[in-house]
PDB file of all heavy atoms in Angstrom:
ATOM      1  N   PRO B 149     -16.320  29.792  28.508  1.00 96.00           N
ATOM      2  CA  PRO B 149     -16.385  28.881  27.340  1.00 96.00           C
ATOM      3  C   PRO B 149     -15.447  29.288  26.211  1.00 96.00           C
ATOM      4  O   PRO B 149     -14.875  28.423  25.539  1.00 96.00           O
ATOM      5  CB  PRO B 149     -17.852  28.956  26.897  1.00 96.00           C
ATOM      6  CG  PRO B 149     -18.432  30.122  27.581  1.00 96.00           C
ATOM      7  CD  PRO B 149     -17.618  30.410  28.802  1.00 96.00           C
ATOM      8  N   ILE B 150     -15.263  30.603  26.003  1.00 97.00           N
ATOM      9  CA  ILE B 150     -14.360  31.026  24.925  1.00 97.00           C
ATOM     10  C   ILE B 150     -12.925  30.652  25.277  1.00 97.00           C
ATOM     11  O   ILE B 150     -12.171  30.134  24.443  1.00 97.00           O
ATOM     12  CB  ILE B 150     -14.483  32.547  24.664  1.00 97.00           C
ATOM     13  CG1 ILE B 150     -15.869  32.861  24.122  1.00 97.00           C
ATOM     14  CG2 ILE B 150     -13.416  33.016  23.684  1.00 97.00           C
ATOM     15  CD1 ILE B 150     -16.128  34.330  23.877  1.00 97.00           C
ATOM     16  N   TYR B 151     -12.574  30.878  26.544  1.00 96.00           N
ATOM     17  CA  TYR B 151     -11.228  30.514  27.000  1.00 96.00           C
ATOM     18  C   TYR B 151     -10.990  29.016  26.805  1.00 96.00           C
ATOM     19  O   TYR B 151      -9.944  28.600  26.304  1.00 96.00           O
ATOM     20  CB  TYR B 151     -11.076  30.901  28.473  1.00 96.00           C
ATOM     21  CG  TYR B 151      -9.788  30.434  29.110  1.00 96.00           C
ATOM     22  CD1 TYR B 151      -8.594  31.120  28.888  1.00 96.00           C
ATOM     23  CD2 TYR B 151      -9.762  29.315  29.930  1.00 96.00           C
ATOM     24  CE1 TYR B 151      -7.413  30.696  29.466  1.00 96.00           C
ATOM     25  CE2 TYR B 151      -8.586  28.884  30.513  1.00 96.00           C
ATOM     26  CZ  TYR B 151      -7.418  29.570  30.277  1.00 96.00           C
ATOM     27  OH  TYR B 151      -6.255  29.136  30.844  1.00 96.00           O
ATOM     28  N   THR B 152     -11.982  28.207  27.178  1.00 95.00           N
ATOM     29  CA  THR B 152     -11.838  26.755  27.025  1.00 95.00           C
ATOM     30  C   THR B 152     -11.601  26.386  25.562  1.00 95.00           C
ATOM     31  O   THR B 152     -10.742  25.567  25.247  1.00 95.00           O
ATOM     32  CB  THR B 152     -13.105  26.043  27.534  1.00 95.00           C
ATOM     33  OG1 THR B 152     -13.405  26.536  28.830  1.00 95.00           O
ATOM     34  CG2 THR B 152     -12.899  24.550  27.613  1.00 95.00           C
ATOM     35  N   SER B 153     -12.364  27.001  24.653  1.00 95.00           N
ATOM     36  CA  SER B 153     -12.197  26.621  23.243  1.00 95.00           C
ATOM     37  C   SER B 153     -10.866  27.146  22.694  1.00 95.00           C
ATOM     38  O   SER B 153     -10.264  26.519  21.828  1.00 95.00           O
ATOM     39  CB  SER B 153     -13.382  27.093  22.399  1.00 95.00           C
ATOM     40  OG  SER B 153     -13.449  28.484  22.381  1.00 95.00           O
ATOM     41  N   LEU B 154     -10.393  28.268  23.216  1.00 96.00           N
ATOM     42  CA  LEU B 154      -9.069  28.762  22.793  1.00 96.00           C
ATOM     43  C   LEU B 154      -7.967  27.830  23.287  1.00 96.00           C
ATOM     44  O   LEU B 154      -6.991  27.569  22.597  1.00 96.00           O
ATOM     45  CB  LEU B 154      -8.817  30.172  23.345  1.00 96.00           C
ATOM     46  CG  LEU B 154      -9.448  31.329  22.578  1.00 96.00           C
ATOM     47  CD1 LEU B 154      -9.373  32.605  23.390  1.00 96.00           C
ATOM     48  CD2 LEU B 154      -8.775  31.529  21.235  1.00 96.00           C
ATOM     49  N   GLU B 155      -8.147  27.322  24.510  1.00 94.00           N
ATOM     50  CA  GLU B 155      -7.155  26.407  25.083  1.00 94.00           C
ATOM     51  C   GLU B 155      -7.072  25.109  24.274  1.00 94.00           C
ATOM     52  O   GLU B 155      -6.031  24.496  24.158  1.00 94.00           O
ATOM     53  CB  GLU B 155      -7.517  26.068  26.533  1.00 94.00           C
ATOM     54  CG  GLU B 155      -7.157  27.137  27.518  1.00 94.00           C
ATOM     55  CD  GLU B 155      -5.670  27.183  27.810  1.00 94.00           C
ATOM     56  OE1 GLU B 155      -5.209  26.439  28.677  1.00 94.00           O
ATOM     57  OE2 GLU B 155      -4.958  27.968  27.144  1.00 94.00           O
ATOM     58  N   LYS B 156      -8.226  24.691  23.746  1.00 93.00           N
ATOM     59  CA  LYS B 156      -8.275  23.432  22.990  1.00 93.00           C
ATOM     60  C   LYS B 156      -7.668  23.572  21.597  1.00 93.00           C
ATOM     61  O   LYS B 156      -7.379  22.591  20.934  1.00 93.00           O
ATOM     62  CB  LYS B 156      -9.730  22.960  22.859  1.00 93.00           C
ATOM     63  CG  LYS B 156     -10.169  22.087  24.016  1.00 93.00           C
ATOM     64  CD  LYS B 156     -11.400  21.274  23.644  1.00 93.00           C
ATOM     65  CE  LYS B 156     -12.566  22.160  23.327  1.00 93.00           C
ATOM     66  NZ  LYS B 156     -13.869  21.622  23.578  1.00 93.00           N
ATOM     67  N   LEU B 157      -7.506  24.815  21.168  1.00 93.00           N
ATOM     68  CA  LEU B 157      -7.015  25.091  19.818  1.00 93.00           C
ATOM     69  C   LEU B 157      -5.624  24.488  19.630  1.00 93.00           C
ATOM     70  O   LEU B 157      -4.758  24.641  20.477  1.00 93.00           O
ATOM     71  CB  LEU B 157      -6.936  26.605  19.653  1.00 93.00           C
ATOM     72  CG  LEU B 157      -7.122  27.163  18.271  1.00 93.00           C
ATOM     73  CD1 LEU B 157      -8.568  26.967  17.841  1.00 93.00           C
ATOM     74  CD2 LEU B 157      -6.798  28.640  18.281  1.00 93.00           C
ATOM     75  N   ASP B 158      -5.425  23.821  18.499  1.00 92.00           N
ATOM     76  CA  ASP B 158      -4.151  23.166  18.211  1.00 92.00           C
ATOM     77  C   ASP B 158      -3.158  24.194  17.637  1.00 92.00           C
ATOM     78  O   ASP B 158      -3.385  24.752  16.575  1.00 92.00           O
ATOM     79  CB  ASP B 158      -4.408  22.040  17.196  1.00 92.00           C
ATOM     80  CG  ASP B 158      -3.179  21.197  16.964  1.00 92.00           C
ATOM     81  OD1 ASP B 158      -2.089  21.607  17.414  1.00 92.00           O
ATOM     82  OD2 ASP B 158      -3.316  20.137  16.353  1.00 92.00           O
ATOM     83  N   ARG B 159      -2.062  24.406  18.357  1.00 91.00           N
ATOM     84  CA  ARG B 159      -1.043  25.377  17.918  1.00 91.00           C
ATOM     85  C   ARG B 159      -0.565  25.090  16.488  1.00 91.00           C
ATOM     86  O   ARG B 159      -0.281  25.970  15.718  1.00 91.00           O
ATOM     87  CB  ARG B 159       0.187  25.257  18.798  1.00 91.00           C
ATOM     88  CG  ARG B 159       0.601  26.271  19.690  1.00 91.00           C
ATOM     89  CD  ARG B 159       1.438  27.437  19.667  1.00 91.00           C
ATOM     90  NE  ARG B 159       1.940  28.009  18.468  1.00 91.00           N
ATOM     91  CZ  ARG B 159       1.601  29.206  18.029  1.00 91.00           C
ATOM     92  NH1 ARG B 159       0.736  29.932  18.664  1.00 91.00           N
ATOM     93  NH2 ARG B 159       2.143  29.700  16.958  1.00 91.00           N
ATOM     94  N   ARG B 160      -0.493  23.796  16.175  1.00 93.00           N
ATOM     95  CA  ARG B 160       0.067  23.421  14.878  1.00 93.00           C
ATOM     96  C   ARG B 160      -0.824  23.868  13.729  1.00 93.00           C
ATOM     97  O   ARG B 160      -0.347  24.140  12.642  1.00 93.00           O
ATOM     98  CB  ARG B 160       0.288  21.906  14.823  1.00 93.00           C
ATOM     99  CG  ARG B 160       1.313  21.423  15.856  1.00 93.00           C
ATOM    100  CD  ARG B 160       1.393  19.916  15.863  1.00 93.00           C
ATOM    101  NE  ARG B 160       0.057  19.343  15.805  1.00 93.00           N
ATOM    102  CZ  ARG B 160      -0.331  18.462  14.924  1.00 93.00           C
ATOM    103  NH1 ARG B 160       0.485  18.015  14.023  1.00 93.00           N
ATOM    104  NH2 ARG B 160      -1.569  18.012  14.941  1.00 93.00           N
ATOM    105  N   VAL B 161      -2.142  23.916  13.986  1.00 96.00           N
ATOM    106  CA  VAL B 161      -3.058  24.359  12.933  1.00 96.00           C
ATOM    107  C   VAL B 161      -2.837  25.845  12.645  1.00 96.00           C
ATOM    108  O   VAL B 161      -2.882  26.285  11.492  1.00 96.00           O
ATOM    109  CB  VAL B 161      -4.516  24.071  13.354  1.00 96.00           C
ATOM    110  CG1 VAL B 161      -5.478  24.637  12.348  1.00 96.00           C
ATOM    111  CG2 VAL B 161      -4.715  22.583  13.503  1.00 96.00           C
ATOM    112  N   ILE B 162      -2.533  26.613  13.695  1.00 96.00           N
ATOM    113  CA  ILE B 162      -2.234  28.032  13.503  1.00 96.00           C
ATOM    114  C   ILE B 162      -0.938  28.180  12.709  1.00 96.00           C
ATOM    115  O   ILE B 162      -0.848  28.981  11.775  1.00 96.00           O
ATOM    116  CB  ILE B 162      -2.127  28.733  14.870  1.00 96.00           C
ATOM    117  CG1 ILE B 162      -3.493  28.713  15.549  1.00 96.00           C
ATOM    118  CG2 ILE B 162      -1.608  30.159  14.712  1.00 96.00           C
ATOM    119  CD1 ILE B 162      -3.479  29.194  16.969  1.00 96.00           C
ATOM    120  N   GLU B 163       0.050  27.357  13.068  1.00 96.00           N
ATOM    121  CA  GLU B 163       1.314  27.409  12.325  1.00 96.00           C
ATOM    122  C   GLU B 163       1.104  27.013  10.869  1.00 96.00           C
ATOM    123  O   GLU B 163       1.699  27.603   9.964  1.00 96.00           O
ATOM    124  CB  GLU B 163       2.356  26.491  12.970  1.00 96.00           C
ATOM    125  CG  GLU B 163       2.942  27.096  14.227  1.00 96.00           C
ATOM    126  CD  GLU B 163       4.081  26.267  14.786  1.00 96.00           C
ATOM    127  OE1 GLU B 163       4.330  25.157  14.281  1.00 96.00           O
ATOM    128  OE2 GLU B 163       4.712  26.744  15.744  1.00 96.00           O
ATOM    129  N   ALA B 164       0.237  26.030  10.643  1.00 96.00           N
ATOM    130  CA  ALA B 164      -0.038  25.623   9.267  1.00 96.00           C
ATOM    131  C   ALA B 164      -0.593  26.804   8.473  1.00 96.00           C
ATOM    132  O   ALA B 164      -0.206  27.024   7.323  1.00 96.00           O
ATOM    133  CB  ALA B 164      -1.015  24.451   9.246  1.00 96.00           C
ATOM    134  N   ALA B 165      -1.478  27.583   9.092  1.00 97.00           N
ATOM    135  CA  ALA B 165      -2.048  28.741   8.401  1.00 97.00           C
ATOM    136  C   ALA B 165      -0.967  29.767   8.094  1.00 97.00           C
ATOM    137  O   ALA B 165      -0.898  30.303   6.983  1.00 97.00           O
ATOM    138  CB  ALA B 165      -3.157  29.359   9.249  1.00 97.00           C
ATOM    139  N   GLU B 166      -0.099  30.034   9.073  1.00 96.00           N
ATOM    140  CA  GLU B 166       1.005  30.978   8.835  1.00 96.00           C
ATOM    141  C   GLU B 166       1.893  30.470   7.712  1.00 96.00           C
ATOM    142  O   GLU B 166       2.319  31.217   6.844  1.00 96.00           O
ATOM    143  CB  GLU B 166       1.859  31.145  10.096  1.00 96.00           C
ATOM    144  CG  GLU B 166       1.190  31.957  11.172  1.00 96.00           C
ATOM    145  CD  GLU B 166       2.042  32.001  12.435  1.00 96.00           C
ATOM    146  OE1 GLU B 166       3.281  31.846  12.339  1.00 96.00           O
ATOM    147  OE2 GLU B 166       1.464  32.159  13.514  1.00 96.00           O
ATOM    148  N   ASP B 167       2.153  29.177   7.738  1.00 96.00           N
ATOM    149  CA  ASP B 167       3.004  28.569   6.730  1.00 96.00           C
ATOM    150  C   ASP B 167       2.432  28.787   5.332  1.00 96.00           C
ATOM    151  O   ASP B 167       3.162  28.929   4.360  1.00 96.00           O
ATOM    152  CB  ASP B 167       3.119  27.070   7.014  1.00 96.00           C
ATOM    153  CG  ASP B 167       4.169  26.412   6.147  1.00 96.00           C
ATOM    154  OD1 ASP B 167       5.353  26.605   6.434  1.00 96.00           O
ATOM    155  OD2 ASP B 167       3.797  25.725   5.173  1.00 96.00           O
ATOM    156  N   LEU B 168       1.096  28.815   5.243  1.00 96.00           N
ATOM    157  CA  LEU B 168       0.443  28.978   3.944  1.00 96.00           C
ATOM    158  C   LEU B 168       0.246  30.450   3.607  1.00 96.00           C
ATOM    159  O   LEU B 168      -0.478  30.785   2.683  1.00 96.00           O
ATOM    160  CB  LEU B 168      -0.892  28.239   3.943  1.00 96.00           C
ATOM    161  CG  LEU B 168      -0.743  26.712   4.056  1.00 96.00           C
ATOM    162  CD1 LEU B 168      -2.050  26.060   4.413  1.00 96.00           C
ATOM    163  CD2 LEU B 168      -0.196  26.141   2.755  1.00 96.00           C
ATOM    164  N   GLY B 169       0.874  31.330   4.385  1.00 95.00           N
ATOM    165  CA  GLY B 169       0.899  32.743   4.014  1.00 95.00           C
ATOM    166  C   GLY B 169      -0.052  33.641   4.777  1.00 95.00           C
ATOM    167  O   GLY B 169      -0.151  34.831   4.469  1.00 95.00           O
ATOM    168  N   ALA B 170      -0.766  33.111   5.763  1.00 96.00           N
ATOM    169  CA  ALA B 170      -1.741  33.937   6.481  1.00 96.00           C
ATOM    170  C   ALA B 170      -1.036  34.831   7.500  1.00 96.00           C
ATOM    171  O   ALA B 170      -0.252  34.346   8.312  1.00 96.00           O
ATOM    172  CB  ALA B 170      -2.767  33.049   7.179  1.00 96.00           C
ATOM    173  N   ASN B 171      -1.333  36.146   7.449  1.00 95.00           N
ATOM    174  CA  ASN B 171      -0.803  37.031   8.478  1.00 95.00           C
ATOM    175  C   ASN B 171      -1.684  36.904   9.726  1.00 95.00           C
ATOM    176  O   ASN B 171      -2.630  36.126   9.753  1.00 95.00           O
ATOM    177  CB  ASN B 171      -0.749  38.480   7.975  1.00 95.00           C
ATOM    178  CG  ASN B 171      -2.108  38.971   7.499  1.00 95.00           C
ATOM    179  OD1 ASN B 171      -3.137  38.402   7.866  1.00 95.00           O
ATOM    180  ND2 ASN B 171      -2.114  40.003   6.691  1.00 95.00           N
ATOM    181  N   ARG B 172      -1.383  37.689  10.765  1.00 94.00           N
ATOM    182  CA  ARG B 172      -2.088  37.497  12.040  1.00 94.00           C
ATOM    183  C   ARG B 172      -3.590  37.697  11.902  1.00 94.00           C
ATOM    184  O   ARG B 172      -4.384  36.970  12.478  1.00 94.00           O
ATOM    185  CB  ARG B 172      -1.532  38.452  13.091  1.00 94.00           C
ATOM    186  CG  ARG B 172      -0.158  38.024  13.548  1.00 94.00           C
ATOM    187  CD  ARG B 172       0.416  38.999  14.525  1.00 94.00           C
ATOM    188  NE  ARG B 172      -0.366  39.000  15.753  1.00 94.00           N
ATOM    189  CZ  ARG B 172       0.082  39.471  16.904  1.00 94.00           C
ATOM    190  NH1 ARG B 172       1.289  39.961  16.977  1.00 94.00           N
ATOM    191  NH2 ARG B 172      -0.678  39.460  17.973  1.00 94.00           N
ATOM    192  N   PHE B 173      -3.975  38.701  11.114  1.00 95.00           N
ATOM    193  CA  PHE B 173      -5.395  38.963  10.944  1.00 95.00           C
ATOM    194  C   PHE B 173      -6.093  37.786  10.266  1.00 95.00           C
ATOM    195  O   PHE B 173      -7.149  37.332  10.706  1.00 95.00           O
ATOM    196  CB  PHE B 173      -5.583  40.250  10.125  1.00 95.00           C
ATOM    197  CG  PHE B 173      -7.012  40.505   9.735  1.00 95.00           C
ATOM    198  CD1 PHE B 173      -7.954  40.850  10.695  1.00 95.00           C
ATOM    199  CD2 PHE B 173      -7.410  40.381   8.411  1.00 95.00           C
ATOM    200  CE1 PHE B 173      -9.275  41.075  10.341  1.00 95.00           C
ATOM    201  CE2 PHE B 173      -8.729  40.599   8.047  1.00 95.00           C
ATOM    202  CZ  PHE B 173      -9.654  40.953   9.013  1.00 95.00           C
ATOM    203  N   ASN B 174      -5.464  37.272   9.196  1.00 96.00           N
ATOM    204  CA  ASN B 174      -6.063  36.141   8.483  1.00 96.00           C
ATOM    205  C   ASN B 174      -6.077  34.868   9.326  1.00 96.00           C
ATOM    206  O   ASN B 174      -7.002  34.068   9.234  1.00 96.00           O
ATOM    207  CB  ASN B 174      -5.330  35.888   7.173  1.00 96.00           C
ATOM    208  CG  ASN B 174      -5.852  36.779   6.064  1.00 96.00           C
ATOM    209  OD1 ASN B 174      -7.028  37.151   6.072  1.00 96.00           O
ATOM    210  ND2 ASN B 174      -4.987  37.154   5.144  1.00 96.00           N
ATOM    211  N   VAL B 175      -5.033  34.687  10.125  1.00 96.00           N
ATOM    212  CA  VAL B 175      -5.010  33.520  11.015  1.00 96.00           C
ATOM    213  C   VAL B 175      -6.209  33.597  11.954  1.00 96.00           C
ATOM    214  O   VAL B 175      -6.928  32.621  12.162  1.00 96.00           O
ATOM    215  CB  VAL B 175      -3.696  33.454  11.828  1.00 96.00           C
ATOM    216  CG1 VAL B 175      -3.808  32.422  12.939  1.00 96.00           C
ATOM    217  CG2 VAL B 175      -2.528  33.120  10.919  1.00 96.00           C
ATOM    218  N   PHE B 176      -6.457  34.799  12.477  1.00 95.00           N
ATOM    219  CA  PHE B 176      -7.583  34.948  13.393  1.00 95.00           C
ATOM    220  C   PHE B 176      -8.908  34.704  12.669  1.00 95.00           C
ATOM    221  O   PHE B 176      -9.747  33.936  13.111  1.00 95.00           O
ATOM    222  CB  PHE B 176      -7.577  36.344  14.022  1.00 95.00           C
ATOM    223  CG  PHE B 176      -8.720  36.548  14.966  1.00 95.00           C
ATOM    224  CD1 PHE B 176      -8.695  35.966  16.224  1.00 95.00           C
ATOM    225  CD2 PHE B 176      -9.841  37.283  14.595  1.00 95.00           C
ATOM    226  CE1 PHE B 176      -9.754  36.112  17.096  1.00 95.00           C
ATOM    227  CE2 PHE B 176     -10.906  37.428  15.453  1.00 95.00           C
ATOM    228  CZ  PHE B 176     -10.860  36.845  16.712  1.00 95.00           C
ATOM    229  N   ARG B 177      -9.066  35.350  11.520  1.00 94.00           N
ATOM    230  CA  ARG B 177     -10.336  35.312  10.810  1.00 94.00           C
ATOM    231  C   ARG B 177     -10.658  33.924  10.256  1.00 94.00           C
ATOM    232  O   ARG B 177     -11.783  33.465  10.286  1.00 94.00           O
ATOM    233  CB  ARG B 177     -10.273  36.315   9.654  1.00 94.00           C
ATOM    234  CG  ARG B 177     -11.587  36.590   8.973  1.00 94.00           C
ATOM    235  CD  ARG B 177     -11.420  37.785   8.056  1.00 94.00           C
ATOM    236  NE  ARG B 177     -10.505  37.461   6.964  1.00 94.00           N
ATOM    237  CZ  ARG B 177     -10.901  37.234   5.714  1.00 94.00           C
ATOM    238  NH1 ARG B 177     -12.177  37.272   5.409  1.00 94.00           N
ATOM    239  NH2 ARG B 177     -10.030  36.959   4.775  1.00 94.00           N
ATOM    240  N   LYS B 178      -9.621  33.243   9.764  1.00 94.00           N
ATOM    241  CA  LYS B 178      -9.882  31.994   9.048  1.00 94.00           C
ATOM    242  C   LYS B 178      -9.642  30.742   9.866  1.00 94.00           C
ATOM    243  O   LYS B 178     -10.043  29.655   9.468  1.00 94.00           O
ATOM    244  CB  LYS B 178      -9.013  31.935   7.782  1.00 94.00           C
ATOM    245  CG  LYS B 178      -9.482  32.920   6.748  1.00 94.00           C
ATOM    246  CD  LYS B 178      -8.612  32.848   5.522  1.00 94.00           C
ATOM    247  CE  LYS B 178      -9.249  33.547   4.357  1.00 94.00           C
ATOM    248  NZ  LYS B 178     -10.062  32.663   3.529  1.00 94.00           N
ATOM    249  N   VAL B 179      -8.952  30.882  10.992  1.00 95.00           N
ATOM    250  CA  VAL B 179      -8.680  29.682  11.783  1.00 95.00           C
ATOM    251  C   VAL B 179      -9.176  29.828  13.224  1.00 95.00           C
ATOM    252  O   VAL B 179     -10.013  29.059  13.680  1.00 95.00           O
ATOM    253  CB  VAL B 179      -7.167  29.345  11.773  1.00 95.00           C
ATOM    254  CG1 VAL B 179      -6.899  28.134  12.648  1.00 95.00           C
ATOM    255  CG2 VAL B 179      -6.696  29.091  10.346  1.00 95.00           C
ATOM    256  N   ILE B 180      -8.675  30.855  13.926  1.00 96.00           N
ATOM    257  CA  ILE B 180      -8.990  30.948  15.356  1.00 96.00           C
ATOM    258  C   ILE B 180     -10.477  31.212  15.576  1.00 96.00           C
ATOM    259  O   ILE B 180     -11.135  30.509  16.345  1.00 96.00           O
ATOM    260  CB  ILE B 180      -8.131  32.038  16.024  1.00 96.00           C
ATOM    261  CG1 ILE B 180      -6.655  31.695  15.855  1.00 96.00           C
ATOM    262  CG2 ILE B 180      -8.482  32.161  17.497  1.00 96.00           C
ATOM    263  CD1 ILE B 180      -5.715  32.729  16.397  1.00 96.00           C
ATOM    264  N   LEU B 181     -11.017  32.215  14.860  1.00 94.00           N
ATOM    265  CA  LEU B 181     -12.432  32.549  15.064  1.00 94.00           C
ATOM    266  C   LEU B 181     -13.365  31.379  14.741  1.00 94.00           C
ATOM    267  O   LEU B 181     -14.180  30.995  15.577  1.00 94.00           O
ATOM    268  CB  LEU B 181     -12.778  33.805  14.259  1.00 94.00           C
ATOM    269  CG  LEU B 181     -14.142  34.422  14.561  1.00 94.00           C
ATOM    270  CD1 LEU B 181     -14.245  34.812  16.026  1.00 94.00           C
ATOM    271  CD2 LEU B 181     -14.389  35.649  13.692  1.00 94.00           C
TER     272      LEU B 181
END
Side-chain angles (χ1 to χ4, degrees):
Chain B
I150 294 178
Y151 173 79
T152 310
S153 64
L154 279 168
E155 281 285 275
K156 271 199 298 209
L157 209 69
D158 187 349
R159 247 271 12 114
R160 297 174 317 126
V161 175
I162 294 172
E163 284 186 353
E166 287 176 26
D167 190 75
L168 294 165
N171 56 20
R172 287 177 66 161
F173 172 69
N174 276 330
V175 168
F176 180 75
R177 191 169 66 105
K178 289 180 165 268
V179 178
I180 300 177
L181 190 59

